[in-house]
Amino acid sequence: MKIEAKKIYDSIRFDYETQSIVKTTIPMPSQVTAPISNEAVVGLNDEGEIIIDGLVRGPSRLDIVAIVGMPGLGKTTLANKVYGDPLVKSHFHIRSWCCFSRAYTKHSLLVQMLCNIDHGNSAGYIRKDEDYMADRLRKLLKGNRYLIVLDDVWDILGWDLLKLSLPDDCNGSRILLTSRFQELPLQIKLDSEPHHLRPLTDNESCELLQKKLFSKEDCPPILSNVLLDAAKYCKGLPLTVVLVAGILATTEQDCWEEVVIHLTSSIFVDNEYCMKTIELSFNNLPDYLKPCLLYFGAFQEDQEIPIRRLLWIWISEGFVQKTEGKSLEDVADEYLRYLRYLRYLRIGRFVGDIPSAIANLSRLETFVVEARRGNYLLPNTIWSIETLRYLVTSLSDCGFIFPMDNLEGSPDLKHLDTLSLAIHRSSQNAQKILSKLQSTRRLTITYGIQRMTYESYQALRSGGNRKEILVLNYMSRLESLKISRISGDEFEFSLNLNLKKLTLSYNYWPWGKISAIGKNLPNLVVLKLCHRSVREEEWEMEEGEFCNLRFLKLSGLYIRRWTASSDNFSCLEKLVLEFCEELEEVPPCLGESLTLKTIEVKWCSESAVNSVERILEEQREWGNKDLKSVIIRSTQKRSQRREEFHS
């Protein structure tokens, strides 16, 4: 398979709980980050708010927030949703994700957490002993407000192995723990009650089933009752809903009613019911694939399996049938591709263009590249993956360059929800690309350099200094936008009025453009101005700007003077200032804000710190005793400052 030869993936593992195959490119340390969720999330909004409240509020001492429930209820999905929430991401200095499952060692747990926190030394930690890593983890966490997710913990021994490496500095650090065992939180002796995850309602199950089968399209009316019947017998288990969706997705729609009748002919409970659904899913496979799937039982749970080794085993065992015109290796590759249809692909340490063979993954929903530097040219075949929902890189200043050939004749990516996009000066087609992405909700746009022909270079020269205007206001679903390394001299942006979150970095825009954003985007609640995003020293906020803003971050700016009025902060809940070393003071009117909950000031000028301390005092005089503050003065060592900045 050409994709494998290009190192898109070279190992896999079989997830026994979800009965799915996970393909990876590099050893476990690169896989320890919380996955970008490619699952449709239903019925977890209220649950998520409860968990988030327990993480960002509550006691200052180290606390454990536990989510418990039977397998298949969505504990990991909920934890992942919370882990990626903007409020949680901004509240904690360090976040790390650690997966236990049934088989684990102290070494593997420490490697996961350290590689997640200290990315640059991933390869080195694998060779270190447990004592070194336990001490290193404690030192990295010391003094920082951290969130550690311990996912799928099976026994108290796992907690005992790690707890001495998790310092309590009384700064609001949290452990988020998930487990299928109801008694585990009692053994750990939590201060707070564990959160028992509820099953989905019948309507929520039906909604999830529809999303898995039809994505954002409506279910045909003739099938609505069939889906409702199927949803009722899923007993509120998201895992069972996913399994049922997998069965129906590979069945002709005119046979769905018969399948559902067979599926619901007997009523089962809890694990027995879920296992019966898995059995039906297995029975739905072609006979020649069943022994291939069962062979995964020869490997340990969550063990990574080299693909070449697995295919050779299948061939040597006689599982792979001869097909005219194809080698046994090619047929075995086809078997692997067929085995609940790869939907999630995350690759690392990848250099070069994305091969056209990626289109063979016709059910792919999530494609993530662990980028170092540079951008990735997509093949023309990318337009044929209609199921694609997440196309992202790990760095905000890296992205994917879409092909320009036959753009008008290519289908739209109607289901693409999240995209890291790279555009370049030579392109006159950026607008055409954006017009094919009208369902996108989260978009990162960065400047990309593409190899240019001599003709393209001449065309660029003849175009002079003409700006290209990117119109985004027709992208009605767009809620979050990040713009990186694109100056106002190159592009103008016409933004969508529904935009809620905006992040700018390395743009060198004038403050006048920022003020225009504040007036024209009434729904904006999060604004992050980072790393030289603005080129001028004075920001004078005018009346009517950013009236609904809840979160404001200024980081690495050359701002010297900042003036504002109280109506600019009428809804502000959190203010973060980092590396604004020339800032003389924070607007005093912030002391009159009735909504302020948190102020963080790190490595700013002493006069700015003093002005914040006066605001804190005024807020306390107003009766805001719950106001939280973090102040790190610029007198700290530069090495400490750099380490904190990068974390």
Side-chain angles (χ1 to χ4, degrees), residues 493-512:
F493 289 87
S494 176
L495 300 179
N496 187 294
L497 295 179
N498 295 323
L499 201 65
K500 297 179 180 178
K501 303 174 185 177
L502 178 63
T503 302
L504 302 176
S505 58
Y506 298 107
N507 307 108
Y508 301 96
W509 287 5
W511 281 112

Side-chain angles (χ1 to χ4, degrees), residues 21-23 31 33-38 341-346 363-368:
I21 299 171
V22 180
K23 302 184 181 178
Q31 303 298 320
T33 56
I36 295 179
S37 177
N38 65 328
Y341 291 114
L342 181 66
R343 297 185 180 184
Y344 182 98
L345 179 60
R346 188 184 192 108
R363 298 289 186 91
L364 190 66
E365 294 183 4
T366 299
F367 182 35
V368 185

Side-chain angles (χ1 to χ4, degrees), residues 382-498:
I382 195 69
W383 300 108
S384 64
I385 310 179
E386 297 180 2
T387 56
L388 205 57
R389 298 181 62 205
Y390 300 91
L391 185 59
V392 296
T393 60
S394 58
L395 297 178
S396 62
D397 55 355
C398 297
F400 293 100
I401 299 175
F402 277 84
M404 302 304 175
D405 301 338
N406 194 29
L407 202 58
E408 290 78 7
S410 302
D412 295 354
L413 294 178
K414 297 180 179 179
H415 305 303
L416 192 63
D417 179 89
T418 305
L419 170 65
S420 299
L421 174 67
I423 58 178
H424 50 90
R425 290 191 187 98
S426 64
S427 171
Q428 301 299 317
N429 295 303
Q431 191 66 63
K432 295 180 181 178
I433 291 174
L434 292 172
S435 68
K436 302 175 77 65
L437 308 172
Q438 297 190 31
S439 296
T440 302
R441 291 193 307 120
R442 293 183 286 264
L443 176 63
T444 297
I445 303 180
T446 187
Y447 174 74
I449 300 177
Q450 186 179 21
R451 293 184 295 273
M452 292 178 13
T453 63
Y454 178 75
E455 291 78 10
S456 298
Y457 174 71
Q458 293 290 3
L460 176 61
R461 289 189 62 187
S462 64
N465 294 323
R466 179 172 59 87
K467 292 183 182 179
E468 183 165 347
I469 299 178
L470 294 183
V471 179
L472 304 181
N473 56 15
Y474 61 85
M475 300 179 71
S476 59
R477 296 179 181 269
L478 191 63
E479 296 180 359
S480 176
L481 176 63
K482 297 180 180 179
I483 304 175
S484 175
R485 300 187 183 277
I486 299 179
S487 74
D489 297 330
E490 296 165 334
F491 291 95
E492 290 285 353
F493 289 87
S494 176
L495 300 179
N496 187 294
L497 295 179
N498 295 323

Side-chain angles (χ1 to χ4, degrees), residues 125-399:
Y125 286 127
I126 301 176
R127 297 186 291 269
K128 298 295 185 180
D129 61 63
E130 294 176 358
D131 292 339
Y132 170 85
M133 289 192 292
D135 182 64
R136 176 62 175 162
L137 177 61
R138 183 173 181 84
K139 289 179 178 177
L140 286 173
L141 297 179
K142 187 68 176 175
N144 288 293
R145 182 164 63 240
Y146 60 84
L147 170 63
I148 305 293
V149 178
L150 305 180
D151 186 35
D152 197 17
V153 181
W154 279 66
D155 51 46
I156 194 172
L157 177 60
W159 166 248
D160 290 339
L161 290 175
L162 298 177
K163 63 182 181 181
L164 294 180
S165 298
L166 305 176
D168 184 5
D169 294 315
C170 292
N171 59 1
S173 294
R174 294 289 184 267
I175 308 297
L176 179 57
L177 179 148
T178 75
S179 178
R180 65 188 65 187
F181 299 103
Q182 311 279 348
E183 67 277 6
L184 184 62
L186 299 177
Q187 297 174 4
I188 297 178
K189 298 179 180 178
L190 304 184
D191 292 333
S192 55
E193 288 293 318
H195 182 80
H196 296 269
L197 195 58
R198 66 170 178 83
L200 299 178
T201 65
D202 288 345
N203 287 336
E204 289 171 341
S205 296
C206 189
E207 181 185 352
L208 178 58
L209 194 56
Q210 288 189 135
K211 286 187 175 183
K212 298 299 295 183
L213 290 168
F214 302 105
S215 190
K216 297 177 182 177
E217 298 176 1
D218 293 332
C219 170
I222 194 173
L223 294 174
S224 57
N225 289 333
V226 176
L227 290 191
L228 184 58
D229 288 340
K232 288 180 179 178
Y233 287 94
C234 288
K235 306 299 181 186
L237 291 177
L239 174 59
T240 306
V241 175
V242 171
L243 291 168
V244 170
I247 296 173
L248 295 179
T250 56
T251 307
E252 295 294 332
Q253 290 187 1
D254 56 3
C255 297
W256 281 13
E257 185 173 5
E258 180 182 348
V259 171
V260 171
I261 291 174
H262 177 62
L263 185 68
T264 60
S265 58
S266 301
I267 299 179
F268 298 86
V269 294
D270 297 339
N271 285 346
E272 181 184 358
Y273 182 79
C274 194
M275 292 306 297
K276 181 62 179 178
T277 308
I278 293 174
E279 179 185 338
L280 290 171
S281 181
F282 174 79
N283 291 337
N284 197 54
L285 283 174
D287 289 339
Y288 62 87
L289 286 178
K290 292 177 180 176
C292 297
L293 182 63
L294 290 175
Y295 209 91
F296 282 101
F299 300 92
Q300 290 185 352
E301 181 179 0
D302 290 333
Q303 176 185 350
E304 292 193 353
I305 310 166
I307 280 181
R308 288 296 103 190
R309 177 188 173 196
L310 177 67
L311 300 189
W312 290 337
I313 291 175
W314 284 353
I315 292 171
S316 63
E317 292 283 1
F319 297 159
V320 181
Q321 301 175 355
K322 293 182 179 180
T323 302
E324 186 176 353
K326 296 181 179 179
S327 68
L328 289 176
E329 287 79 8
D330 288 339
V331 177
D333 273 331
E334 293 177 359
Y335 284 13
L336 187 60
R337 288 203 304 272
Y338 187 98
L339 287 173
R340 257 78 68 208
Y341 291 114
L342 181 66
R343 297 185 180 184
Y344 182 98
L345 179 60
R346 188 184 192 108
I347 65 175
R349 302 179 185 178
F350 179 75
V351 178
D353 299 338
I354 307 300
S356 60
I358 193 173
N360 292 334
L361 306 175
S362 59
R363 298 289 186 91
L364 190 66
E365 294 183 4
T366 299
F367 182 35
V368 185
V369 176
E370 294 284 352
R372 295 275 180 98
R373 283 290 183 268
N375 301 295
Y376 299 90
L377 180 62
L378 294 167
N380 289 325
T381 54
I382 195 69
W383 300 108
S384 64
I385 310 179
E386 297 180 2
T387 56
L388 205 57
R389 298 181 62 205
Y390 300 91
L391 185 59
V392 296
T393 60
S394 58
L395 297 178
S396 62
D397 55 355
C398 297

Side-chain angles (χ1 to χ4, degrees), residues 47-61:
E47 310 265 2
E49 290 299 323
I50 295 172
I51 301 300
I52 291 173
D53 187 72
L55 295 178
V56 303
R57 295 178 177 84
S60 58
R61 65 181 179 278

